[in-house]
Amino acid sequence: MIYFRSDYSLGAHPKVMQALMDTNMEHTDGYAEDRFSYETADMIREMIGKPDAHVHFMVGGTPTNTITIAAALRPYEGVISPATGHIYVHETGSVEANGHRVFAAPTEDGKLTPEAIEKVLLHHEDEHTVIPKMAYITHPTENGGVYTKAELTALSECCKKHGLYLYMDGARLGTALTWPGNDLSLKDIANLVDAFYIGGTKIGALFGEALIIMNDNMNDHFRYMVKRACALLAKGRLIAIQLKALLEGGEDSLYYELSRHENELAIKLSKGVVEKGYELWIPHQTNQVFVIVDNDKIKELEKDFFFYTWCPYDETRSVIRLVISWGSTEEDVDAILAAL
Amino acid sequence: MIYFRSDYSLGAHPKVMQALMDTNMEHTDGYAEDRFSYETADMIREMIGKPDAHVHFMVGGTPTNTITIAAALRPYEGVISPATGHIYVHETGSVEANGHRVFAAPTEDGKLTPEAIEKVLLHHEDEHTVIPKMAYITHPTENGGVYTKAELTALSECCKKHGLYLYMDGARLGTALTWPGNDLSLKDIANLVDAFYIGGTKIGALFGEALIIMNDNMNDHFRYMVKRACALLAKGRLIAIQLKALLEGGEDSLYYELSRHENELAIKLSKGVVEKGYELWIPHQTNQVFVIVDNDKIKELEKDFFFYTWCPYDETRSVIRLVISWGSTEEDVDAILAAL
Amino acid sequence: MIYFRSDYSLGAHPKVMQALMDTNMEHTDGYAEDRFSYETADMIREMIGKPDAHVHFMVGGTPTNTITIAAALRPYEGVISPATGHIYVHETGSVEANGHRVFAAPTEDGKLTPEAIEKVLLHHEDEHTVIPKMAYITHPTENGGVYTKAELTALSECCKKHGLYLYMDGARLGTALTWPGNDLSLKDIANLVDAFYIGGTKIGALFGEALIIMNDNMNDHFRYMVKRACALLAKGRLIAIQLKALLEGGEDSLYYELSRHENELAIKLSKGVVEKGYELWIPHQTNQVFVIVDNDKIKELEKDFFFYTWCPYDETRSVIRLVISWGSTEEDVDAILAAL
Amino acid sequence: MIYFRSDYSLGAHPKVMQALMDTNMEHTDGYAEDRFSYETADMIREMIGKPDAHVHFMVGGTPTNTITIAAALRPYEGVISPATGHIYVHETGSVEANGHRVFAAPTEDGKLTPEAIEKVLLHHEDEHTVIPKMAYITHPTENGGVYTKAELTALSECCKKHGLYLYMDGARLGTALTWPGNDLSLKDIANLVDAFYIGGTKIGALFGEALIIMNDNMNDHFRYMVKRACALLAKGRLIAIQLKALLEGGEDSLYYELSRHENELAIKLSKGVVEKGYELWIPHQTNQVFVIVDNDKIKELEKDFFFYTWCPYDETRSVIRLVISWGSTEEDVDAILAAL
């Protein structure tokens, strides 16, 4: 069985595992109060050019999103997300579990726009309404789309104008950073958003995300919020150790290398399916390829390949999602192209 | 100043006040455990033809909606509402404050449809998603629209089919029940929904709503839920006394009489504005009339009349909302028609 | 049946009812944005000598307590209450429903002390613990006890020293203010606490409490918190109208007069039972008298009198609570003394 | 620096790391829907003799406790814990964050008793009170105490009698199971409680606990609750792989071996300190030793040893906590005994 199922079907990249092995028998204090966590936080602050940023090592994407939102908002405030955003679609209401509304803004391509934000703001002006106080985006989007510098700048200015926090979910950030033509560096992002995270779970780690908060208001008693949300890992250093192994070296790091690898294979795959006469559901960017396939053909493919059938397309065809992970190989791509 | 501002700009109807005066010096136990509450609950059960229904006397619409939803849903479940629904637009996230998502279903006229429900259900099938478990409607809708028996039956069947509770917010229920051509009786409603409330605050009471729950699953430890939500009134009898004064007599009751009065004046008003050449924003039903008026004219009207400017219509015109309350008079309507 | 059951077995004092009748047919805007609310708030600010205080008109004690606490605390913060405090014992976890812990501090007589506060503070110093951030007291206590100026000053200083808010639940405040020997005026209280409320429900109103917040930090977006908690009354003026009728005139007001009446009858009752050879469970203050009575005698009393049997005392005796309300009469007291 | 700080100052036992390495490059589906998770769950069900038990692989102790409680309780219900229990003392209000009260029952030695439970139950009988619905214990207790079979049986019967769930936090369960004289087997525990967890984080794993639910009522939509609480690990298999490495072999497993090692060293340590004339704060059981030490001596020890100063004892002495972890060595113990 060949996996195009998700970004997390393997363990960690061998170099990440090696880093865990190398440090395994060193005693440290718990809860990310250890030299690995401090050093990695320093490294990240330097990478993004923000010496005063707050860095928190989080177990996964959902706690990172949920706690960042819950720590920043007052009880009567909500967060605007594209209707396709992870916090609206795939986190079982964890934002609402903390008492906050997610405003699902209509979106054509998975991106949030200043227009969509302002439409939500329109009708929220007195104590009978929830106050939208944050905009949430994923970069790349859930469908793989890469924001341009112009787009992110426009969002940033819109949020500043209206007093909203801008928060970026970077579960697959590496694939955006290394996408051909991308013009948004880590430093740009750090300048344009109030907080974002660099995702490790989906690119090479066993688990772990580096949450980076530039806006001090969002960081008040943050560790209390993490513990209260059951998300303060006892052996917190494990996340820092993995992220150091991934991120050390900046654009030459393992993280960028794995991300480039994902993008290259995904480009090969998307070109290949188009050459074979298939139609893409949406224009391809980063490591997810959405292909329209006959339902009969899908059944046949499922014998040898493991992937998600994303949604029905018409009466005889559906959309399948093929995810390239850091562990995917040229042979995997050749195999599915041959089978298609 | 003449008020077309809301349904609650006066105190209570004099007969309601009289009922409070008549019973004022009688001692009873608190928290709706008194003869007035028991008798009024019995009267309501008989009115709706449901001898086993649970009746709770609630202070206002928002606690009624929020607590009914919170009592019925498990933490990972949500409620589907038209995007214009009161729980989505005007309750400051009180449903989310209890941890539940409100799914805002797109709607053309304020009504929820089986199609809209099924569209929400489509993508909620595993533990990464919120489970829609209830459909919420207002009758009449926020804009005054009256569901037909066919429409409510279709909703009811759709909810049964998909295992959803159907709950009706009846803040202005009397105006729907007495709308010319309405084919939905209280007994029909009680047969078609799992729970609904008969609103007193907006039709003649100082405050108070009768929540009626037919579905036992929604009633489990309900009074605990009310108290926990800070909504168990110490002198609970006050609500029952008012509702008895309003509802006694069924279709000949004060409640029906006031509602008919509101509808009649609203019809006079809506006909009048059309005759004067104004355009209605939406087809008129029940006690709210939405009129498109020049912005200059609105400013002029505001000198003598108190009303909401609902939303901009185009560059020079806006929509105003004129509400007929039980205390509105023919003279009030004549006055604004003359001024328009 | 003669009632010694609670403070809320009647409607409102006739003068309060008259005030509601007198204003009933005047149109105003809703949600306490009306002249009655503004005027009554001004009157209260003057009474307490705090021209900048924030005044909110609340429906009942539980919403007042819960929302004041929820508005002031961050999610990881809690409130210290005597173990007998209303928020711990009789509000069905409504504080916890908003995510906050109630620290139940042991208490001998229902009063909170600086020592008890500091004992709770002892073990709360890092992100693994809830931060105690507020002290909650009732004045008089649940058992009727009256804080002295020295006691309240000590609490106030303790709270200031440790960065805690001090909040006073004044459900029965009038009976403390008019208790013989009391040395705490409304102005003293306003100087010593961050927020408190003057309770109407238990002293003469149909319902309604005046919440007064001196500390601006506790008032941020307070009305949003009220609406989100389902507690913003549509016809908000009703509370202000009642409280004006009660409080107008300061120490000569109806509120003080009714409170004095309650205390006088309670003193007569407590003296009477002691003269008849009964033992009081706790020293008597304000309008509640706790008497130790033979279980057989209790059964006999229950034929003609309605009261709470508070708790077992020993194998043959129990404690009964006799509450004097504003509507209790000399004849009521004579009757139960005769029956005892 | 020699560590007696906590149970989690190292990475994982080398055999656990090896298991992660061995399986690292195998593709599986995410979220614990993989063969490792299924197989390990089967193994655990067999170990405890409960073929129908539900097994969930959780990241850490706090999410396990919090989610188990939140999934089992209705909003107005609470959980009884010894006042020293982890959920009351060291989880930053995560239970309250889900809306539930923790009743802190006074305890002499960290154990909960039927008497303490019944004292809490006494005053909770109507809708004005939180309903206690679960009893929470840790085994061993926070101070290391081991419940006997008689004690756990009495708790179990008390809970059944009163309709409470009984839940056991087994963060350090291995040290109780292997304590000399312990008479409670895993199978006994599974028979006496409704749910418990076998803790890996503190005994040999990088992280991970096996939650085992015998009572079906507590398992309803449990995975939704986990995801909603941000605690569903993407690479869920990591927990099962580690726990299999630890638990395989039952009483001959690595988990039992490491636990025995901890107990043996702790006994050596506690005997040693007593022989040196020190006083133990509480009688010693399992892997934590609490010693009363002069404050000056503590300062001296801190140069070479890392441990917690637990609390002041008197004016010149404090209590220190010395934790033996799976990685502690005879040499570590000899060193601190020499230094004391």
Side-chain angles (χ1 to χ4, degrees):
Chain A
M1 186 68 69
I2 298 176
Y3 275 64
F4 291 95
R5 175 75 164 178
S6 72
D7 315 71
Y8 40 82
S9 59
L10 288 175
H13 187 274
K15 289 183 183 167
V16 172
M17 291 304 291
Q18 193 56 49
L20 290 172
M21 294 293 273
D22 291 346
T23 57
N24 190 54
M25 296 306 290
E26 180 171 336
H27 287 274
T28 66
D29 204 0
Y31 303 109
E33 294 190 317
D34 61 83
R35 71 171 184 92
F36 302 111
S37 299
Y38 300 148
E39 289 166 13
T40 307
D42 284 343
M43 184 188 83
I44 288 171
R45 279 186 278 262
E46 187 162 338
M47 277 178 73
I48 63 165
K50 291 283 176 191
D52 298 326
H54 309 276
V55 178
H56 300 278
F57 296 108
M58 309 292 292
V59 173
T62 301
T64 308
N65 291 335
T66 301
I67 299 167
T68 301
I69 293 166
L73 302 190
R74 290 267 292 152
Y76 43 80
E77 294 174 338
V79 53
I80 303 172
S81 164
T84 52
H86 208 259
I87 57 170
Y88 192 69
V89 177
H90 275 120
E91 300 191 350
T92 322
S94 65
V95 174
E96 291 90 346
N98 281 277
H100 304 289
R101 173 172 296 170
V102 181
F103 293 96
T107 170
E108 278 193 29
D109 58 358
K111 289 186 184 168
L112 191 65
T113 61
E115 293 69 35
I117 290 175
E118 288 178 347
K119 210 167 162 194
V120 174
L121 290 173
L122 206 58
H123 296 296
H124 296 93
E125 65 284 322
D126 68 23
E127 65 257 22
H128 298 267
T129 61
V130 178
I131 301 178
K133 187 66 186 172
M134 183 187 284
Y136 162 93
I137 58 172
T138 42
H139 179 57
T141 68
E142 298 302 312
N143 296 336
V146 178
Y147 283 90
T148 65
K149 192 165 178 175
E151 286 169 340
L152 190 64
T153 303
L155 279 175
S156 179
E157 285 169 0
C158 171
C159 287
K160 279 202 176 59
K161 180 178 163 193
H162 295 294
L164 303 185
Y165 298 116
L166 178 57
Y167 165 61
M168 176 188 284
D169 174 339
R172 299 182 177 102
L173 189 57
T175 64
L177 292 171
T178 59
W179 182 248
N182 162 59
D183 62 353
L184 267 175
S185 69
L186 269 182
K187 287 186 181 177
D188 292 331
I189 291 169
N191 279 325
L192 291 170
V193 305
D194 293 285
F196 72 108
Y197 80 82
I198 305 174
T201 297
K202 290 188 172 170
I203 308 181
L206 290 177
F207 59 89
E209 336 287 323
L211 171 64
I212 303 154
I213 300 178
M214 268 69 63
N215 188 325
D216 291 346
N217 291 339
M218 297 174 68
N219 197 60
D220 177 39
H221 285 78
F222 196 84
R223 284 171 60 89
Y224 284 80
M225 294 298 295
V226 176
K227 179 65 185 175
R228 175 181 176 274
C230 312
L232 198 59
L233 194 68
K235 302 186 183 180
R237 75 191 205 192
L238 298 174
I239 304 170
I241 290 166
Q242 294 181 79
L243 286 169
K244 192 180 178 198
L246 283 167
L247 292 170
E248 202 158 39
E251 301 194 4
D252 298 321
S253 67
L254 180 58
Y255 190 73
Y256 277 72
E257 181 191 316
L258 296 179
S259 301
R260 276 188 212 104
H261 168 78
E262 292 187 17
N263 284 334
E264 283 162 14
L265 279 193
I267 290 169
K268 176 185 169 121
L269 175 60
S270 69
K271 282 191 179 160
V273 296
V274 171
E275 278 165 17
K276 296 202 70 161
Y278 287 90
E279 206 179 323
L280 297 182
W281 183 46
I282 47 171
H284 166 242
Q285 287 189 304
T286 64
N287 72 320
Q288 300 179 80
V289 180
F290 295 87
V291 194
I292 301 166
V293 182
D294 269 4
N295 292 335
D296 290 346
K297 186 71 184 174
I298 290 174
K299 273 192 196 138
E300 195 189 309
L301 286 172
E302 283 173 341
K303 289 175 199 155
D304 296 314
F305 301 93
F306 192 46
F307 55 85
Y308 270 106
T309 300
W310 204 244
C311 57
Y313 183 74
D314 58 24
E315 284 184 20
T316 60
R317 293 181 296 172
S318 296
V319 175
I320 66 171
R321 183 185 75 157
L322 302 176
V323 180
I324 302 293
S325 83
W326 64 266
S328 298
T329 62
E330 292 254 2
E331 290 71 32
D332 294 344
V333 173
D334 290 339
I336 199 162
L337 285 176
L340 270 160
Chain B
M1 187 69 69
I2 297 176
Y3 275 64
F4 291 96
R5 174 76 165 178
S6 72
D7 313 70
Y8 40 83
S9 58
L10 288 175
H13 188 274
K15 290 183 183 168
V16 172
M17 291 305 291
Q18 194 55 51
L20 290 172
M21 294 294 273
D22 291 346
T23 57
N24 189 53
M25 295 306 289
E26 181 171 336
H27 288 274
T28 65
D29 204 359
Y31 304 108
E33 295 190 316
D34 61 83
R35 71 171 184 92
F36 302 110
S37 299
Y38 300 148
E39 290 166 13
T40 307
D42 284 344
M43 184 189 84
I44 289 172
R45 279 186 280 263
E46 186 162 339
M47 278 177 72
I48 63 166
K50 293 281 176 192
D52 299 326
H54 309 276
V55 177
H56 301 276
F57 296 108
M58 309 292 292
V59 172
T62 301
T64 309
N65 291 336
T66 301
I67 299 167
T68 301
I69 293 166
L73 302 191
R74 290 266 292 152
Y76 43 80
E77 294 175 338
V79 54
I80 303 171
S81 164
T84 52
H86 208 259
I87 58 169
Y88 192 71
V89 177
H90 275 119
E91 300 190 352
T92 320
S94 64
V95 174
E96 291 90 348
N98 281 276
H100 303 290
R101 173 172 296 170
V102 181
F103 293 96
T107 171
E108 278 193 30
D109 58 358
K111 289 185 184 169
L112 192 65
T113 61
E115 293 68 37
I117 291 175
E118 288 179 346
K119 209 168 162 195
V120 174
L121 291 173
L122 205 60
H123 297 295
H124 296 92
E125 66 283 321
D126 67 24
E127 64 257 22
H128 298 266
T129 61
V130 177
I131 301 178
K133 186 67 187 173
M134 183 187 283
Y136 162 93
I137 58 172
T138 42
H139 179 57
T141 69
E142 298 302 311
N143 296 335
V146 178
Y147 283 90
T148 64
K149 193 166 178 173
E151 286 169 341
L152 191 63
T153 303
L155 278 175
S156 180
E157 286 170 358
C158 171
C159 288
K160 277 202 177 61
K161 179 179 163 192
H162 295 294
L164 303 185
Y165 298 116
L166 179 57
Y167 165 60
M168 177 188 283
D169 174 339
R172 299 182 177 101
L173 188 58
T175 63
L177 293 170
T178 59
W179 183 250
N182 163 59
D183 63 352
L184 267 174
S185 70
L186 270 182
K187 288 186 181 176
D188 293 331
I189 292 169
N191 279 325
L192 291 170
V193 306
D194 293 286
F196 72 109
Y197 80 83
I198 304 174
T201 297
K202 291 188 172 169
I203 308 181
L206 290 177
F207 60 89
E209 337 288 323
L211 171 64
I212 304 154
I213 301 179
M214 269 68 63
N215 187 325
D216 291 345
N217 291 338
M218 297 175 67
N219 198 60
D220 177 40
H221 285 80
F222 195 84
R223 283 171 61 88
Y224 285 80
M225 294 298 295
V226 176
K227 179 64 184 175
R228 176 182 176 273
C230 313
L232 198 60
L233 194 68
K235 302 186 182 179
R237 76 193 204 191
L238 298 175
I239 304 170
I241 290 166
Q242 294 181 79
L243 286 169
K244 192 179 178 199
L246 283 167
L247 292 170
E248 201 158 40
E251 300 193 5
D252 298 322
S253 67
L254 180 57
Y255 190 72
Y256 276 73
E257 182 191 315
L258 297 179
S259 301
R260 276 187 211 102
H261 168 78
E262 292 187 18
N263 285 334
E264 283 162 14
L265 279 193
I267 290 169
K268 176 185 168 121
L269 175 60
S270 68
K271 281 190 179 161
V273 296
V274 170
E275 278 164 17
K276 296 203 72 161
Y278 288 89
E279 206 180 323
L280 297 182
W281 183 47
I282 47 172
H284 166 243
Q285 286 189 304
T286 65
N287 72 319
Q288 300 178 79
V289 180
F290 296 86
V291 194
I292 301 166
V293 182
D294 270 4
N295 293 335
D296 289 346
K297 186 71 183 174
I298 290 174
K299 271 189 197 142
E300 194 189 311
L301 287 171
E302 283 172 342
K303 289 175 200 155
D304 295 316
F305 302 92
F306 192 46
F307 55 85
Y308 271 105
T309 299
W310 204 244
C311 57
Y313 182 75
D314 57 23
E315 285 184 20
T316 60
R317 294 180 296 173
S318 295
V319 175
I320 65 170
R321 183 185 75 157
L322 302 176
V323 180
I324 302 293
S325 83
W326 64 267
S328 299
T329 63
E330 292 254 0
E331 290 71 33
D332 295 343
V333 172
D334 290 338
I336 199 162
L337 284 176
L340 270 160
Chain C
M1 187 67 68
I2 297 177
Y3 275 64
F4 291 95
R5 174 75 165 178
S6 72
D7 313 72
Y8 41 82
S9 60
L10 289 175
H13 187 275
K15 288 183 184 168
V16 172
M17 290 306 290
Q18 194 56 49
L20 289 172
M21 294 293 273
D22 291 345
T23 57
N24 190 53
M25 296 306 288
E26 180 172 337
H27 288 273
T28 65
D29 204 359
Y31 303 107
E33 295 190 315
D34 61 84
R35 72 172 184 91
F36 302 110
S37 299
Y38 300 147
E39 289 166 15
T40 308
D42 284 342
M43 184 189 83
I44 289 173
R45 279 185 280 261
E46 185 160 341
M47 279 178 71
I48 63 166
K50 293 281 177 192
D52 298 326
H54 309 276
V55 178
H56 301 277
F57 296 108
M58 309 292 293
V59 172
T62 301
T64 309
N65 291 336
T66 301
I67 299 167
T68 301
I69 293 166
L73 302 190
R74 290 267 292 153
Y76 43 82
E77 294 174 339
V79 54
I80 303 172
S81 165
T84 52
H86 208 259
I87 57 169
Y88 192 71
V89 177
H90 275 121
E91 300 191 351
T92 322
S94 64
V95 174
E96 291 90 346
N98 282 276
H100 303 289
R101 173 172 295 170
V102 182
F103 293 96
T107 172
E108 278 193 29
D109 58 358
K111 287 185 185 168
L112 192 65
T113 62
E115 293 69 37
I117 290 175
E118 288 178 347
K119 209 168 163 194
V120 174
L121 289 174
L122 204 61
H123 297 296
H124 296 92
E125 66 285 321
D126 68 22
E127 65 257 22
H128 298 266
T129 61
V130 177
I131 301 177
K133 186 67 187 172
M134 184 187 281
Y136 163 94
I137 58 173
T138 42
H139 179 57
T141 69
E142 298 301 313
N143 296 336
V146 178
Y147 284 90
T148 64
K149 192 166 179 174
E151 287 170 339
L152 191 63
T153 303
L155 279 175
S156 180
E157 286 169 359
C158 171
C159 287
K160 277 203 176 61
K161 179 179 162 192
H162 296 294
L164 303 185
Y165 299 116
L166 179 57
Y167 165 61
M168 177 188 284
D169 174 339
R172 299 181 177 102
L173 188 57
T175 64
L177 292 171
T178 59
W179 183 249
N182 163 58
D183 62 354
L184 268 175
S185 70
L186 270 182
K187 286 186 183 178
D188 292 331
I189 291 170
N191 279 326
L192 291 169
V193 305
D194 294 286
F196 72 109
Y197 80 84
I198 305 174
T201 298
K202 290 187 172 170
I203 308 181
L206 289 177
F207 59 90
E209 336 288 324
L211 170 65
I212 304 153
I213 301 178
M214 270 68 64
N215 187 325
D216 291 345
N217 291 337
M218 297 175 68
N219 198 58
D220 177 39
H221 284 79
F222 196 84
R223 283 171 61 88
Y224 284 81
M225 293 299 293
V226 176
K227 179 64 186 176
R228 175 182 176 274
C230 312
L232 198 59
L233 194 68
K235 301 186 182 179
R237 76 192 205 193
L238 297 174
I239 304 170
I241 290 166
Q242 294 181 80
L243 286 169
K244 192 179 178 198
L246 283 167
L247 293 170
E248 200 157 40
E251 301 193 3
D252 299 321
S253 67
L254 180 58
Y255 190 73
Y256 277 72
E257 181 190 316
L258 297 179
S259 301
R260 277 187 210 102
H261 168 78
E262 292 187 18
N263 284 335
E264 284 162 15
L265 278 193
I267 289 169
K268 176 185 170 121
L269 176 60
S270 68
K271 283 190 177 159
V273 296
V274 170
E275 278 163 17
K276 296 203 72 161
Y278 288 89
E279 204 179 323
L280 297 181
W281 182 47
I282 48 172
H284 166 243
Q285 285 189 304
T286 64
N287 72 320
Q288 301 177 81
V289 181
F290 295 86
V291 194
I292 302 166
V293 183
D294 270 5
N295 292 335
D296 290 345
K297 185 72 182 173
I298 290 174
K299 271 189 198 142
E300 194 190 311
L301 287 171
E302 284 173 342
K303 288 175 200 155
D304 295 315
F305 301 92
F306 191 47
F307 54 84
Y308 271 105
T309 300
W310 204 242
C311 56
Y313 182 74
D314 58 22
E315 283 184 22
T316 60
R317 294 181 296 172
S318 297
V319 175
I320 65 170
R321 182 185 75 156
L322 302 176
V323 180
I324 302 293
S325 82
W326 64 265
S328 299
T329 63
E330 293 253 1
E331 291 71 33
D332 295 343
V333 172
D334 290 338
I336 199 163
L337 285 175
L340 270 161
Chain D
M1 187 66 68
I2 297 176
Y3 275 64
F4 291 95
R5 175 74 164 179
S6 73
D7 314 71
Y8 40 83
S9 59
L10 289 175
H13 188 277
K15 289 184 184 167
V16 172
M17 291 305 290
Q18 193 56 48
L20 290 172
M21 294 293 273
D22 291 346
T23 57
N24 190 52
M25 296 305 289
E26 180 172 335
H27 287 274
T28 65
D29 204 359
Y31 303 108
E33 294 190 316
D34 61 84
R35 71 171 184 91
F36 302 110
S37 299
Y38 299 148
E39 289 166 15
T40 307
D42 285 342
M43 184 188 82
I44 289 172
R45 279 186 279 262
E46 187 162 338
M47 278 178 72
I48 64 167
K50 291 284 178 191
D52 297 326
H54 309 276
V55 178
H56 301 277
F57 296 108
M58 309 292 292
V59 172
T62 301
T64 309
N65 291 336
T66 302
I67 300 166
T68 300
I69 293 165
L73 302 190
R74 290 267 292 153
Y76 42 80
E77 295 175 337
V79 54
I80 303 172
S81 165
T84 52
H86 207 260
I87 58 169
Y88 191 69
V89 177
H90 274 122
E91 300 192 350
T92 321
S94 65
V95 173
E96 291 90 347
N98 282 275
H100 304 289
R101 173 172 296 171
V102 181
F103 293 96
T107 172
E108 278 193 28
D109 58 357
K111 289 185 185 170
L112 192 64
T113 61
E115 293 68 37
I117 290 175
E118 288 177 347
K119 209 168 163 195
V120 174
L121 290 173
L122 206 60
H123 297 296
H124 295 93
E125 65 286 320
D126 67 23
E127 65 258 22
H128 297 266
T129 61
V130 177
I131 302 178
K133 187 66 186 173
M134 184 187 283
Y136 162 93
I137 58 172
T138 42
H139 179 56
T141 69
E142 298 301 312
N143 296 336
V146 178
Y147 284 90
T148 65
K149 192 165 179 174
E151 287 169 340
L152 191 63
T153 303
L155 279 175
S156 180
E157 285 169 359
C158 170
C159 287
K160 277 201 177 60
K161 180 178 161 194
H162 296 293
L164 303 185
Y165 298 116
L166 178 57
Y167 165 61
M168 176 188 285
D169 174 339
R172 300 181 178 102
L173 188 57
T175 63
L177 293 171
T178 59
W179 182 249
N182 163 59
D183 63 353
L184 266 174
S185 69
L186 270 181
K187 286 185 182 177
D188 292 332
I189 292 170
N191 279 325
L192 291 169
V193 305
D194 294 286
F196 72 109
Y197 80 83
I198 305 174
T201 298
K202 290 187 174 171
I203 307 181
L206 290 177
F207 60 90
E209 336 288 324
L211 171 64
I212 304 155
I213 301 177
M214 269 68 64
N215 187 324
D216 291 345
N217 292 337
M218 297 174 68
N219 197 59
D220 178 37
H221 285 79
F222 196 84
R223 284 171 60 87
Y224 283 81
M225 293 299 294
V226 176
K227 179 66 186 175
R228 176 182 175 274
C230 312
L232 197 60
L233 193 69
K235 301 185 182 180
R237 75 190 205 193
L238 298 174
I239 304 170
I241 290 166
Q242 294 180 81
L243 286 169
K244 193 180 177 199
L246 284 166
L247 293 170
E248 200 159 40
E251 300 193 4
D252 298 322
S253 68
L254 179 59
Y255 189 74
Y256 278 72
E257 182 191 314
L258 297 179
S259 301
R260 278 188 210 101
H261 167 79
E262 293 187 17
N263 285 335
E264 284 162 14
L265 279 193
I267 290 170
K268 176 186 169 119
L269 175 60
S270 69
K271 283 191 177 159
V273 296
V274 171
E275 278 164 16
K276 295 203 71 159
Y278 287 89
E279 205 180 325
L280 296 183
W281 183 47
I282 48 172
H284 166 242
Q285 287 189 303
T286 64
N287 71 319
Q288 301 178 80
V289 181
F290 295 86
V291 193
I292 301 167
V293 182
D294 269 4
N295 292 335
D296 290 345
K297 186 73 183 171
I298 290 174
K299 271 192 199 138
E300 194 189 310
L301 286 171
E302 284 172 341
K303 288 175 201 156
D304 296 315
F305 302 92
F306 192 46
F307 54 85
Y308 270 105
T309 299
W310 204 243
C311 57
Y313 182 75
D314 58 22
E315 283 184 21
T316 60
R317 293 181 297 171
S318 296
V319 175
I320 65 170
R321 182 185 75 157
L322 302 176
V323 179
I324 302 293
S325 83
W326 63 266
S328 299
T329 62
E330 292 254 2
E331 290 72 33
D332 295 344
V333 173
D334 289 338
I336 200 164
L337 284 176
L340 271 162

